[in-house]
Amino acid sequence: MSWSDLIWLPPVMIAVAMVLGATGRHGAREVTRSIVHTFIALTLGVVIVGLVIHVVAQVFA
């Protein structure tokens, strides 16, 4: 994955967070809070998986 591929990651994560965060929620405040929490969770998940893959690749390289 190159740096130019990483440019697409935040917009896709925002789109996914908006869909998942807004599903089943009522009220602007609740929807917004859910979208932010979902985006943070997705970001942490992507970073942690990326770090684990990097460490494993370094160990077996």
Side-chain angles (χ1 to χ4, degrees), residues 27-48:
R29 184 173 293 174
E30 186 179 353
V31 170
T32 304
R33 188 177 329 133
S34 181
I35 290 171
V36 170
H37 289 172
T38 305
F39 181 74
I40 291 171
L42 283 171
T43 303
L44 288 175
V46 167
V47 168
I48 289 170

Side-chain angles (χ1 to χ4, degrees), residues 49-60:
V49 168
L51 288 174
V52 168
I53 290 172
H54 180 72
V55 168
V56 169
Q58 290 298 319
V59 167
F60 291 109

